[in-house]
Amino acid sequence: MKMKSNFREKRKFPRLDSSLLLYYQVYNRADLPKDISLTSDVSEGGLCFSCSENFELGTILELEIRLPTRNTSLKALGKVVWSRQTGPSKYDLGISFVKIGEEEKKEIFSYLSLFNRQKKDSFLKNFHSKSWERIKISLTIAFLITIYFIEIKAFPGTAHLISQFIVTVILVGLGLIWWQERESHQQLEKTSEKLNEAEKELRESYFNTIKTLALALESRDPYTKGHSSRVTEYALAVAEQLRLSEDEKAVIKNAGILHDIGKISINDSILQKPAKLTEEEYKIVRNHPDIGVSIIKPLSFLKKERKIILEHHERADGKGYHGKPFDEVPLSSRILTIVDSFDAMTSDRPYRKAFSVPEALNELIRNKGTQFDPKIVDIFVKFIRSSGRVYSAEKKELS
Ligand SMILES: [Fe+2]
């Protein structure tokens, strides 16, 4: 019985455009004005609107509604009488008015019924004009072809009229079906394009949020400021030398920017400690790739980047953070390990001055095969020596 009642109310309530709902919140009974006696009865009429949160049935909401037909906003109390989830964090709520002035109620309903009627009229007008247009075109085509058949005497004897009639009907039907299919297909393509664009925008927006976090993290510490951007530039230079594809480069770019995002959870007193870390502190630092992965895990489009970030501190001798066999570590992680170390060495640290470029390169060469991938070290050393492209601490952000 309850379901039946909810269904009836859903149909009855006109929809309020969310842009007209200035605000809503759970009504605090403690603030109930003396002239309002709130009862459990629901006054006649209500409306529905979309919002991002769900409320239990019976919750009293305080609403402020703006109508284009008047200058001031309307205030009302409504009770949630039905709710329905329509998407992730999206709900339709049916509100029945508990307390609203008679005049205000009239205004809301006259506006909403006018608005709904206009929408319905415009939809019907559009539908009729489109359908009629299609029928006219199809009939014209069928008519012309029928005339042509008569002219060339395609149908002899008594079968003549019946055949023409059948041909006309079939042609009109086919014409309509073809027209409909074509329009549906075009509509589908447009919708698909819009969806792709929206998805791309959403991805970029998510990624930019995380990127901002990563850059904000670095900017707290003058010693690591710009580190991720420089690491990304070096990693892309190696990718270029290895002739990796554009897709692979895009993944390296993302992973380079985000590789140390997990450090956001580490206390500054450890990250900026001007002395050797204790065993306990080192354990915390070693956890940053795992934390980084858990931060970006909800972003499903960064799946490849997750593995690269997780394993950017593995070593060729298998004694890295996770002790992974080196042949199972992605190429991009091995690139990051080298360029990450190079930038760390050529930057000042609270406890030491920066290495010179030749010193840092020699250090990479010295650790070939134990810490680093020998082939990539050779490529990187050759690139730095020939191009001289070494970024200083001034290089803070990628374009
Ligand atoms: Fe790292």
Side-chain angles (χ1 to χ4, degrees):
M1 285 302 285
K2 199 176 174 185
M3 287 297 288
K4 197 177 172 188
S5 150
N6 278 349
F7 179 67
R8 195 168 63 240
E9 294 207 61
K10 265 184 212 179
R11 289 175 58 87
K12 188 169 70 180
F13 289 174
R15 174 171 289 276
L16 179 70
D17 189 321
S18 296
S19 65
L20 299 180
L21 188 65
L22 295 182
Y23 108 125
Y24 65 89
Q25 67 169 25
V26 176
Y27 191 75
N28 184 352
R29 283 165 186 259
D31 296 337
L32 196 65
K34 284 190 178 125
D35 59 328
I36 293 180
S37 53
L38 195 61
T39 68
S40 57
D41 295 332
V42 173
S43 59
E44 199 182 324
L47 51 86
C48 73
F49 60 88
S50 290
C51 70
S52 59
E53 40 189 336
N54 196 11
F55 294 98
E56 279 183 23
L57 298 189
T59 307
I60 304 293
L61 295 180
E62 194 177 2
L63 310 169
E64 188 174 350
I65 299 163
R66 179 181 64 85
L67 293 184
T69 49
R70 60 180 280 158
N71 294 329
T72 53
S73 60
L74 298 171
K75 291 187 177 160
L77 293 182
K79 182 177 180 177
V80 179
V81 289
W82 57 260
S83 76
R84 178 181 55 188
Q85 186 159 13
T86 56
S89 299
K90 202 174 170 197
Y91 300 87
D92 269 0
L93 291 184
I95 306 292
S96 204
F97 288 120
V98 175
K99 184 72 187 174
I100 185 170
E102 269 314 306
E103 283 305 308
E104 281 139 338
K105 190 157 84 175
K106 268 187 210 160
E107 274 190 65
I108 287 180
F109 287 116
S110 64
Y111 172 75
L112 287 178
S113 59
L114 179 74
F115 181 65
N116 285 338
R117 199 167 57 239
Q118 274 177 349
K119 276 209 299 194
K120 195 174 155 193
D121 288 350
S122 117
F123 172 78
L124 284 175
K125 200 174 158 194
N126 195 23
F127 177 79
H128 285 146
S129 72
K130 270 189 173 177
S131 299
W132 180 231
E133 197 59 34
R134 285 174 198 161
I135 290 169
K136 273 197 297 188
I137 292 172
S138 298
L139 282 172
T140 309
I141 294 167
F143 178 73
L144 289 173
I145 292 176
T146 307
I147 296 288
Y148 174 72
F149 281 151
I150 293 170
E151 282 298 313
I152 64 168
K153 295 187 170 54
F155 304 107
T158 52
H160 190 84
L161 282 174
I162 297 165
S163 304
Q164 282 170 53
F165 176 72
I166 292 169
V167 167
T168 307
V169 168
I170 290 172
L171 282 173
V172 170
L174 286 177
L176 277 173
I177 290 167
W178 171 78
W179 200 275
Q180 188 72 44
E181 283 288 314
R182 190 169 156 269
E183 281 224 329
S184 303
H185 186 70
Q186 283 173 345
Q187 195 64 39
L188 205 65
E189 275 185 351
K190 271 186 201 164
T191 310
S192 169
E193 262 172 40
K194 276 185 190 166
L195 272 174
N196 285 341
E197 271 171 33
E199 195 191 347
K200 197 178 156 207
E201 273 176 29
L202 198 64
R203 282 179 177 203
E204 279 172 8
S205 151
Y206 276 141
F207 181 75
N208 285 336
T209 308
I210 304 275
K211 181 180 162 185
T212 307
L213 265 177
L215 297 177
L217 164 77
E218 287 180 356
S219 65
R220 290 187 309 178
D221 179 358
Y223 294 101
T224 58
K225 205 169 184 178
H227 169 70
S228 298
S229 303
R230 295 190 298 271
V231 161
T232 306
E233 292 279 11
Y234 289 135
L236 287 174
V238 175
E240 190 69 37
Q241 300 299 308
L242 288 168
R243 300 190 190 287
L244 298 187
S245 69
E246 289 307 310
D247 284 351
E248 286 168 311
K249 283 189 218 165
V251 171
I252 288 178
K253 186 174 176 184
N254 292 343
I257 293 166
L258 303 179
H259 74 283
D260 274 343
I261 184 80
K263 285 187 177 170
I264 209 158
S265 67
I266 303 174
N267 203 300
D268 281 354
S269 62
I270 299 178
L271 287 179
Q272 297 171 24
K273 188 175 176 182
K276 197 169 182 286
L277 298 181
T278 64
E279 191 56 39
E280 195 55 39
E281 289 166 338
Y282 188 51
K283 219 188 242 179
I284 294 171
V285 171
R286 280 169 68 106
N287 212 19
H288 78 268
D290 297 77
I291 295 170
V293 166
S294 65
I295 290 173
I296 64 164
K297 202 170 181 181
L299 308 181
S300 55
F301 60 93
L302 295 177
K303 198 175 171 192
K304 287 181 184 164
E305 287 85 342
R306 286 210 295 259
K307 187 160 170 60
I308 297 169
I309 290 170
L310 185 69
E311 295 171 2
H312 80 274
H313 281 289
E314 300 307 310
R315 293 172 50 110
D317 57 11
K319 294 178 184 169
Y321 281 12
H322 299 96
K324 267 260 170 150
F326 212 45
D327 55 358
E328 289 178 21
V329 174
L331 174 69
S332 307
S333 294
R334 286 184 261 157
I335 296 173
L336 277 187
T337 310
I338 292 167
V339 299
D340 187 18
S341 300
F342 178 75
D343 186 67
M345 286 191 277
T346 51
S347 304
D348 285 332
R349 284 288 182 264
Y351 48 89
R352 61 148 174 83
K353 289 298 287 177
F355 288 31
S356 68
V357 172
E359 279 171 342
L361 293 179
N362 284 338
E363 198 60 22
L364 292 181
I365 294 166
R366 200 171 65 79
N367 288 290
K368 272 200 310 187
T370 49
Q371 191 176 352
F372 306 120
D373 183 317
K375 193 180 151 204
I376 302 173
V377 168
D378 289 343
I379 289 170
F380 183 62
V381 169
K382 192 176 166 194
F383 168 75
I384 294 290
R385 283 179 178 161
S386 61
S387 70
R389 267 175 63 186
V390 177
Y391 300 109
S392 68
E394 298 306 309
K395 174 133 188 81
K396 290 168 192 155
E397 200 169 325
L398 285 172
S399 55

